[in-house]
Amino acid sequence: MAQNVRSVLVDPAVLSVSLEFFTFPDYTTINATNNCLANIESLRGTFPAIRIGGTTQDRATYDPTLATAVNYTVASPLDAPLNLTYGPSFFSLAAQMKGDVTVGLNRQLNNMSNSLSAALQAEKTMENLLSIEFGNEPDLYSQSSPIVPAGSTWSPPVDGAVQKQWISSMASSLGGIFQAAVYLSYPKWSTQGLIPILNTTVEYVKTFSGHSYPQSACGGATTNLPALMNHSAIVSYTSQYKPEASAAHGVGKRYFLGETNSATCGGGGISPTFGAALWVMDYVLQGALNGVDRLYFHQGTIGNCQYCFWGRTTVEAPYYGAAFVSEFLGTGGVKLAMLDDGSGAVGSYAVYSQDTNRPVRLLVYNSNYYNGTGTRTVSTITFTGISGGQTGSVIVAKRLTASNANVTIDAGGEVTIGGGGMFDENCLPTGVQSLEGVSVGSGGTISVSVNASEALIVYL
């Protein structure tokens, strides 16, 4: 293989997790939470970073006298509260998370003293605190939100001025720990537009964040699985974030998709499918190639969240994509390169050793949609110049597959890694994974066959 393919260094925690604010304490009571994260750590050598936030962070008020982590009332356990309080033990729970933690606090209610009090408690309690974001998706605030200055029309410049005011007012107490932007409505609301408004206060910004959902399931919107998992569509969609990442990097800051998943409002029918697992895999790689340092996959209301990786009783199909891409990236410093041109349904990637600059693994993704009916097509991809492989020798590969793209585990379907590897309800690995042999031909040539809606890692 050619050694001059353009490659990018990948953050060890490129695949990370966002936990909805009000239900974060409940996530800590589920065995699968720590086990799923620990599995990723074992594959990547680094525990995933955690962001605690979401819609309910902007409904929350800090109560330093509250004995419980959170307090709220809902009509149904599947509902998110319209308002809630949280206390010091909220941050004690967050301090127990093993990875970097970003905490989202309320800005919409315009109670800076309350949010500052919470932030100071977070800094006091959490040695693992990476950053604090004030406000979740302020681009969606209504004109009647308390944060909107009197006589102003809420807009990117007005929000930028408010963000600057909050940062400059609290920096002397908190230091340079702010996560700025936190916008969903790109490109109208952007990191690129915010940075000039922040001006010199950007020195107190730790990270910049955008939110991203390729599709919407809100208000009865229609979702489309073939479009979600299509490789060329993923390449096109993620490219929009390259200038955002470049803007952040240009002022010496990291850029995260601090909340992301397949479809808004919990995910719709496409989100628990095997096709969404394949999307997770390809989306992470394309995000990294476009300069996104970390992608935080959102986990919402427990029991009412189709895009969640896990719940109380099931580890869902998308988690298999998270595990598979983590295995492909592997441990240690790695460089990632895309080997195809991004225009077709089949994507191919290589991971290079940072030390030797030699490819150590390949990944092939056949994004052609297969719904379980008719003939399942197959694509054969050939690679040449595989170094170290003598003619007639055999290298090995591992496959991520299911009977079709629509398979969901909560409906009794199976997704497997290596033919038999799965995860039980506690996210502990079960079954036996097996490797496939790949023969090396003359000149270090190999050919691999990948079915529609399937992926394969080749170990060089």
Side-chain angles (χ1 to χ4, degrees):
M1 292 180 62
Q3 302 299 306
N4 58 355
V5 177
R6 186 186 72 85
S7 60
V8 298
L9 284 170
V10 180
D11 188 297
V14 63
L15 189 149
S16 289
V17 168
S18 167
L19 301 173
E20 181 62 43
F21 189 92
F22 87 94
T23 198
F24 159 68
D26 284 336
Y27 271 106
T28 67
T29 69
I30 300 174
N31 290 333
T33 298
N34 186 68
N35 291 337
C36 280
L37 297 173
N39 291 338
I40 302 300
E41 179 190 26
S42 69
L43 295 167
R44 293 287 284 123
T46 297
F47 205 81
I50 306 297
R51 176 257 188 173
I52 302 168
T55 302
T56 55
Q57 80 184 61
D58 272 321
R59 302 174 183 177
T61 300
Y62 180 59
D63 179 354
T65 68
L66 188 68
T68 58
V70 289
N71 183 48
Y72 59 86
T73 301
V74 290
S76 162
L78 301 182
D79 293 340
L82 296 179
N83 55 76
L84 66 147
T85 56
Y86 61 103
S89 62
F90 187 95
F91 301 114
S92 299
L93 286 176
Q96 296 172 26
M97 304 302 291
K98 195 172 176 181
D100 289 343
V101 178
T102 294
V103 176
L105 301 176
N106 197 326
R107 185 159 63 93
Q108 184 172 210
L109 294 184
N110 198 28
N111 189 339
M112 188 187 297
S113 62
N114 183 262
S115 293
L116 175 59
S117 177
L120 289 169
Q121 184 65 37
E123 282 198 328
K124 175 183 176 182
T125 308
M126 299 171 59
E127 293 184 2
N128 55 353
L129 183 65
L130 174 68
S131 60
I132 293 173
E133 60 175 46
F134 289 100
N136 175 74
E137 297 171 4
D139 44 305
L140 302 186
Y141 290 172
S142 72
Q143 184 62 32
S144 61
S145 294
I147 193 66
V148 180
S152 298
T153 298
W154 193 240
S155 63
V158 173
D159 172 70
V162 174
Q163 288 205 42
K164 180 179 181 180
Q165 177 194 7
W166 276 55
I167 292 170
S168 60
S169 297
M170 293 190 283
S172 61
S173 299
L174 296 174
I177 200 169
F178 299 89
Q179 176 153 282
V182 202
Y183 297 137
L184 176 65
S185 306
Y186 180 78
K188 180 180 179 181
W189 300 70
S190 69
T191 290
Q192 301 164 77
L194 178 62
I195 287 173
I197 298 172
L198 295 180
N199 201 342
T200 56
T201 56
V202 79
E203 69 177 292
Y204 300 109
V205 173
K206 186 77 169 287
T207 56
F208 284 95
S209 169
H211 290 185
S212 178
Y213 291 84
Q215 296 190 25
S216 174
C218 298
T222 301
T223 52
N224 185 309
L225 182 57
L228 177 75
M229 60 184 283
N230 179 267
H231 174 61
S232 62
I234 295 169
V235 171
S236 176
Y237 178 83
T238 52
S239 66
Q240 68 184 310
Y241 294 107
K242 188 171 185 176
E244 287 285 86
S246 295
H249 296 162
V251 290
K253 313 296 179 180
R254 287 184 289 177
Y255 180 76
F256 301 152
L257 290 183
E259 181 186 314
T260 191
N261 220 309
S262 47
T264 55
C265 290
I270 62 172
S271 294
T273 65
F274 177 59
L278 295 168
W279 166 79
V280 167
M281 177 193 69
D282 205 24
Y283 183 62
V284 167
L285 299 177
Q286 287 298 320
L289 287 167
N290 282 287
V292 178
D293 295 289
R294 293 177 181 173
L295 298 88
Y296 290 73
F297 288 85
H298 196 53
Q299 317 296 301
T301 305
I302 299 169
N304 191 22
C305 175
Q306 294 197 55
Y307 55 49
C308 283
F309 286 174
W310 67 87
R312 294 195 186 279
T313 60
T314 309
V315 172
E316 303 292 355
Y319 180 74
Y320 286 70
F324 201 68
V325 73
S326 297
E327 180 163 355
F328 168 62
L329 291 171
T331 59
V334 298
K335 294 189 292 184
L336 171 71
M338 182 169 68
L339 304 180
D340 66 287
D341 65 5
S343 65
V346 178
S348 57
Y349 300 89
V351 160
Y352 290 77
S353 165
Q354 186 176 352
D355 296 331
T356 65
N357 204 36
R358 291 185 178 277
V360 292
R361 286 176 296 280
L362 306 174
L363 184 143
V364 179
Y365 169 41
N366 186 343
S367 73
N368 285 297
Y369 173 70
Y370 178 62
N371 66 2
T373 61
T375 301
R376 190 172 194 172
T377 60
V378 61
S379 295
T380 300
I381 300 90
T382 299
F383 300 93
T384 60
I386 302 299
S387 61
Q390 297 180 348
T391 301
S393 63
V394 176
I395 56 179
V396 296
K398 185 181 290 187
R399 195 172 299 266
L400 172 67
T401 194
S403 61
N404 64 79
N406 296 313
V407 162
T408 60
I409 292 174
D410 59 1
E414 285 190 353
V415 176
T416 59
I417 297 174
M422 293 179 282
F423 299 96
D424 68 13
E425 68 276 10
N426 292 315
C427 209
L428 295 173
T430 64
V432 177
Q433 296 189 22
S434 58
L435 300 173
E436 306 172 23
V438 180
S439 298
V440 180
S442 63
T445 299
I446 62 170
S447 293
V448 295
S449 296
V450 183
N451 293 322
S453 303
E454 195 174 74
L456 185 78
I457 296 172
V458 182
Y459 300 86
L460 304 179

